Amino acid sequence: MTSMANEPATSKVVCTLFDKNPRRIGVSTTDPNFIGYVNGVKIGYFTNNGTSRDDRSDNLCTHNVPVTCYSSASLLDRRSVIDVLRFCSNEGCLELGRRYHGLIIKSGFGVDQFVGTSLVDMYAKCGDMGSAVMLINRMPYLDVASCNCLISGCAKNGLFDEAFSFFMMFDGIDIGPNHYTYTIMLAVCGSLLAIEEGKQLHAQIVKMQYISDTAAGNALLTMYSKCGMMQDAESLFKGLVQRNVVSWTAIINGFKQHRDFEKALRLFCLMSEDGIDPNEYTFSIALASCASMKNLDIGRMFHAQVLKKGLALGDYVGTTIVDFYSGLGEAGDAGKQLKEMGKFASSASWNAHIAGFVHNEKAEEAIEVFADMVKNDEACDEFTYSMILKACSSLPSLVTCEQIHSRVIKAKFVSNMHVGSSLIDAYNKCGSVEDAERVFTQKSSADVVSWNSMIKAYSQNGHPTKALALFQKMIEGGIMPTNSTFLAVLSACSHSGMVQEGQKLFESMVRDYNILPEETHYSCVVDLLGRAGQLENALDFIKNLPVKPTAPVWRPLLAACRCHNNLQMAEFIAKQILELDPNDATVYVTLSNMYTEAGQYTDAEKQRKLMTVKDVAKEPGCSWIEINNRIYRFFSHDKSCSESPRVYQKLKQIVQQIEKRGYTLSAKEDNVALYHSEKLAVGFGLINLPAGKRIRVFKNLRVCPDCHSFLKYLSTIVDKEIVLRDNYRFHHFKQGCCSCGDFW
């Protein structure tokens, strides 16, 4: 057999392809043992007559990599083997690595120490730790490099306990760890927040005189920062013999992670004064700090520096810039940055832009960006679908939700925990509890977020019994409830008058699950008691809270006072709320309405004047409906729609019909109540939706008693269900009844 060193030039063919798909090499040879590899894939076994048969496997790695075709009569050289194994390690091509392993054994390179170490590294980085350990056990002798590869693989695959075990192995095999070993173990300590172990490693590093090594110093710095020991990190940073860009970036990121944004930015400035140029990661941390501080001006300054250094189009920095502008509501600048990135924009860049619109409550704009993302053939991930489903929830748009759902199924993300939960929540907020239920039941293994979303869906849509039954099933299934779980079941009890059940659940939350109540839980209990007419009990509950009650805790009791006509208590509650939130318009409006109902017109007018003097504005009632994939919005007495005359005429006809069934219109003399926004939206739906089609209307405020009564009567004369979502819950009107049981 001819050695590689003496191999004739014609026996070795090097082919570099730039095609992502493996294809047959057009080479003829009389060697019957010729093995060809293209893009790292064995593709042919060539016969003496120059013909070939395809032996390609479609499930192998097909990255663009220069490859070499060898005659089996020749030996592989160590350098080529190590290069290929390094490529497999970096790209995660496990199957390709295994094939090369077989070729290595066949060629007699299996006993080479460097090749053996490269194989350990390849298997470890590709996640096959069993094969890596097996190779370590079979190696004739171990050195620090092979042990480091194994420990690094454990760390990369989250096997932190195993990493510590292998690290302790050094003493048993009489091999001294080097500075790289310590950097790996410090990273493990940082991931586990194992500060005591980290300090012990620090002591060993000092003892071994590795402290002057920049890499070891940076690893220590990162470990202390991750563990929240910023004083130790800063002290270590000041004592570093040599500080490079990694050192500065680590300390800046540490302060940013622990929300000391001003100090992070001060250090960024000192870094430049120290003659160290920031890299893309440092700039990204600085921009993220500006976003957290909501400091647009300083962020723009950093953006200018990034442009000057030519880093703005890189995916990492570019995405941070998009995220920065999107988070601060500067959609124009975010969109401009995304456009300038062009082909360099990744899914993360698009996601940042979508998230910015969602967080700033601009759902329609978020959906438009998503549509552009799809047109650009950008791959959507779980974050994309979760965010865009939140946008569907905010509109809410059932049609868009259904379209996104179909894409989720096609992309095989329906089983994803976050996407599945977002789907359930989106369908719920779009008023389709049936679809939410279908998604939930189809999940192979529902997580606690999905359970919470489904319990909430039942609660808000007038199915308290189902909500409590699902809660019980969740407990029996071994799923531990969370704060959100109890908020959902307490709300179910509150909206159905199940006072005793609600009180028991509240006590169980603390007693059985050690969950400390939050403001929302206290508010829900107040609402539970207040809706049931137990106003004094609700007041006592607030007075005996272990924390000072906030305005959101008092507000449900004020609403209950109006519902049960207790003006005296309402005045007391209103005073408590205004001391905490002087600009709460609902307090003035509620008191004014109660004074009017009690015949105290002077006091009612006084409340209205106070609103004017204090410049307190009440949010106008707005209702909207989706028809033919378009959202139509209506305000009280709105005549901006081209079909307003038809809508108004339709409502008058309906009143005439339902008055015969017992309906009495409030404020009939000036038709104020007749043209409330929800009635206008429903009237528009009656005109434009086909017979039998469910009407879904959404309102930003609580539905008024007159509109609630109107829709109940309306449901007796139309052949369709009417669904109204206000800011409290869903109301399903059908055949003269509402799902809330008139308890809202």
Side-chain angles (χ1 to χ4, degrees):
M1 186 175 292
T2 308
S3 68
M4 183 63 74
N6 299 322
E7 182 182 359
T10 55
S11 67
K12 179 179 176 182
V13 181
V14 178
C15 298
T16 303
L17 298 184
F18 298 95
D19 191 305
K20 289 186 178 180
N21 299 313
R23 61 178 63 177
R24 186 178 295 109
I25 302 176
V27 176
S28 297
T29 177
T30 56
D31 185 349
N33 295 317
F34 185 87
I35 299 175
Y37 284 82
V38 174
N39 287 1
V41 181
K42 177 184 176 183
I43 56 88
Y45 181 93
F46 292 83
T47 61
N48 288 328
N49 61 8
T51 60
S52 64
R53 60 182 175 83
D54 199 354
D55 189 31
R56 186 176 65 204
S57 174
D58 290 333
N59 63 351
L60 302 182
C61 172
T62 57
H63 290 272
N64 301 328
V65 55
V67 295
T68 305
C69 303
Y70 298 103
S71 165
S72 62
S74 65
L75 287 175
L76 300 175
D77 67 84
R78 176 198 288 171
R79 187 184 192 88
S80 298
V81 168
I82 292 175
D83 285 343
V84 172
L85 291 175
R86 183 182 297 114
F87 170 80
C88 295
S89 300
N90 295 335
E91 300 295 334
C93 299
L94 178 59
E95 189 59 35
L96 176 60
R98 283 175 176 159
R99 291 206 168 201
Y100 261 91
H101 188 180
L103 195 59
I104 288 165
I105 294 172
K106 183 179 179 181
S107 302
F109 263 90
V111 295
D112 184 278
Q113 182 69 19
F114 291 102
V115 173
T117 299
S118 296
L119 279 167
V120 172
D121 186 57
M122 183 275 295
Y123 279 117
K125 287 183 177 176
C126 290
D128 187 354
M129 291 305 301
S131 296
V133 173
M134 181 185 69
L135 281 169
I136 282 284
N137 290 334
R138 291 181 178 180
M139 291 179 76
Y141 67 93
L142 297 176
D143 58 14
V144 67
S146 52
C147 292
N148 283 347
C149 288
L150 191 63
I151 295 172
S152 178
C154 289
K156 182 180 179 182
N157 290 285
L159 304 173
F160 301 125
D161 290 339
E162 289 81 353
F164 271 108
S165 297
F166 286 125
F167 176 72
M168 299 302 293
M169 179 181 70
F170 276 100
D171 289 335
I173 58 178
D174 198 27
I175 297 176
N178 59 15
H179 71 281
Y180 181 62
T181 317
Y182 286 112
T183 61
I184 299 169
M185 293 309 302
L186 286 169
V188 171
C189 291
S191 299
L192 294 174
L193 303 181
I195 187 61
E196 292 304 321
E197 290 80 357
K199 287 181 176 180
Q200 291 176 23
L201 290 172
H202 189 174
Q204 290 184 37
I205 288 171
V206 173
K207 183 179 179 180
M208 299 288 291
Q209 297 183 353
Y210 287 139
I211 194 65
S212 59
D213 180 84
T214 306
N218 291 342
L220 274 168
L221 193 58
T222 303
M223 184 274 296
Y224 280 122
S225 297
K226 283 185 176 181
C227 293
M229 309 288 288
M230 292 312 300
Q231 287 186 343
D232 295 85
E234 192 170 15
S235 176
L236 175 68
F237 176 75
K238 291 177 180 177
L240 287 179
V241 177
Q242 184 178 3
R243 294 181 295 210
N244 58 13
V245 65
V246 178
S247 314
W248 283 95
T249 303
I251 191 69
I252 292 170
N253 189 49
F255 282 111
K256 181 256 179 185
Q257 291 293 332
H258 295 285
R259 306 193 66 78
D260 193 344
F261 305 116
E262 291 185 5
K263 193 156 191 176
L265 294 181
R266 282 201 302 272
L267 283 167
F268 183 91
C269 296
L270 289 173
M271 176 182 181
S272 299
E273 293 176 10
D274 203 38
I276 304 295
D277 286 333
N279 60 18
E280 57 179 336
Y281 303 106
T282 327
F283 273 117
S284 295
I285 295 165
L287 283 162
S289 297
C290 292
S292 299
M293 295 171 65
K294 300 190 181 302
N295 195 319
L296 183 61
D297 293 334
I298 296 179
R300 288 190 190 279
M301 180 189 72
F302 286 136
H303 185 186
Q305 292 182 31
V306 167
L307 287 168
K308 186 177 180 181
K309 292 182 178 293
L311 298 174
L313 298 183
D315 180 41
Y316 200 80
V317 177
T319 299
T320 307
I321 294 171
V322 173
D323 189 53
F324 165 71
Y325 284 123
S326 296
L328 296 183
E330 299 292 326
D333 289 316
K336 182 181 177 182
Q337 171 65 22
L338 188 65
K339 185 177 180 180
E340 288 176 351
M341 290 175 71
K343 64 180 181 180
F344 297 106
S346 65
S347 298
S349 311
W350 287 93
N351 289 346
H353 199 23
I354 293 171
F357 279 124
V358 173
H359 292 152
N360 287 287
E361 299 181 352
K362 295 183 178 180
E364 291 177 85
E365 290 87 341
I367 291 173
E368 288 176 6
V369 174
F370 174 75
D372 290 337
M373 182 178 181
V374 172
K375 288 177 185 176
N376 281 272
D377 292 326
E378 192 63 53
C380 300
D381 56 21
E382 60 183 272
F383 186 81
T384 316
Y385 289 119
S386 296
M387 290 306 301
I388 206 63
L389 284 167
K390 286 183 181 179
C392 295
S393 304
S394 301
L395 278 176
S397 171
L398 180 61
V399 173
T400 307
C401 185
E402 289 171 338
Q403 292 172 348
I404 301 300
H405 189 182
S406 66
R407 296 192 67 87
V408 166
I409 294 172
K410 187 177 179 180
K412 299 181 180 179
F413 275 110
V414 74
S415 60
N416 180 272
M417 177 179 69
H418 302 291
V419 177
S421 301
S422 297
L423 260 174
I424 295 169
D425 191 52
Y427 274 127
N428 171 38
K429 289 181 178 177
C430 290
S432 182
V433 69
E434 303 91 351
D435 287 314
E437 191 175 45
R438 192 174 299 113
V439 173
F440 179 77
T441 55
Q442 289 175 352
K443 287 177 71 70
S444 56
S445 57
D447 55 279
V448 66
V449 181
S450 300
W451 285 90
N452 290 348
S453 297
M454 197 62 236
I455 292 171
K456 182 180 178 182
Y458 283 140
S459 170
Q460 291 186 331
N461 285 274
H463 303 293
T465 305
K466 284 187 175 182
L468 294 177
L470 192 61
F471 170 74
Q472 189 60 39
K473 187 176 179 181
M474 173 184 174
I475 301 298
E476 292 171 356
I479 306 293
M480 289 297 293
T482 63
N483 286 340
S484 299
T485 314
F486 279 101
L487 186 61
V489 290
L490 284 171
S491 179
C493 295
S494 173
H495 286 280
S496 56
M498 301 167 70
V499 178
Q500 290 184 343
E501 291 85 347
Q503 289 176 316
K504 288 179 181 177
L505 283 167
F506 182 75
E507 293 170 2
S508 174
M509 178 177 71
V510 181
R511 182 187 65 241
D512 301 330
Y513 300 99
N514 295 318
I515 297 176
L516 293 177
E518 297 176 354
E519 175 187 82
T520 50
H521 298 99
Y522 293 136
S523 177
C524 209
V525 173
V526 173
D527 192 46
L528 171 76
L529 297 170
R531 284 176 187 271
Q534 299 183 23
L535 303 184
E536 292 295 339
N537 289 342
L539 184 58
D540 289 340
F541 177 81
I542 294 175
K543 289 180 177 179
N544 292 309
L545 287 178
V547 295
K548 183 179 179 180
T550 59
V553 174
W554 287 104
R555 286 188 187 113
L557 187 52
L558 179 63
C561 287
R562 183 183 181 189
C563 182
H564 297 284
N565 297 314
N566 191 325
L567 180 57
Q568 184 178 359
M569 184 180 288
E571 290 174 327
F572 171 76
I573 303 299
K575 182 180 178 182
Q576 309 307 312
I577 297 173
L578 291 176
E579 286 180 357
L580 297 166
D581 185 3
N583 295 318
D584 190 337
T586 58
V587 174
Y588 297 101
V589 174
T590 300
L591 279 181
S592 177
N593 290 334
M594 292 185 74
Y595 284 135
T596 300
E597 291 164 3
Q600 299 177 217
Y601 301 110
T602 303
D603 291 323
E605 182 62 25
K606 182 180 177 181
Q607 292 299 316
R608 298 287 180 180
K609 287 182 179 179
L610 278 172
M611 290 182 69
T612 304
V613 171
K614 296 184 177 182
D615 196 26
V616 176
K618 176 183 177 291
E619 181 183 6
C622 175
S623 298
W624 58 97
I625 186 172
E626 182 181 20
I627 296 177
N628 296 328
N629 209 18
R630 181 180 172 186
I631 304 293
Y632 295 87
R633 288 182 171 81
F634 298 89
F635 294 89
S636 182
H637 278 255
D638 195 344
K639 294 185 179 181
S640 60
C641 178
S642 60
E643 296 192 61
S644 290
R646 292 181 63 198
V647 172
Y648 277 60
Q649 185 61 34
K650 184 70 174 178
L651 291 176
K652 288 180 180 179
Q653 293 173 359
I654 291 170
V655 169
Q656 291 175 0
Q657 290 178 272
I658 62 178
E659 279 182 334
K660 297 176 183 179
R661 296 175 179 249
Y663 170 72
T664 303
L665 177 65
S666 300
K668 188 174 181 179
E669 62 279 357
D670 58 0
N671 288 333
V672 171
L674 177 58
Y675 304 122
H676 278 182
S677 64
E678 53 264 60
K679 290 193 181 84
L680 294 175
V682 169
F684 186 80
L686 289 171
I687 292 172
N688 290 280
L689 288 172
K693 181 76 171 179
R694 182 182 293 177
I695 296 176
R696 302 174 192 273
V697 172
F698 304 88
K699 187 179 181 182
N700 62 332
L701 302 177
R702 191 176 186 180
V703 60
C704 74
D706 181 79
C707 287
H708 192 270
S709 176
F710 174 88
L711 294 175
K712 280 175 61 180
Y713 278 102
L714 174 61
S715 68
T716 65
I717 64 171
V718 294
D719 184 25
K720 57 181 69 186
E721 181 182 354
I722 301 167
V723 180
L724 171 66
R725 191 194 86 180
D726 62 12
N727 64 341
Y728 278 83
R729 61 172 300 151
F730 278 94
H731 300 266
H732 296 257
F733 299 94
K734 196 171 184 179
Q735 297 178 350
C737 298
C738 179
S739 59
C740 73
D742 297 335
F743 196 82
W744 88 99

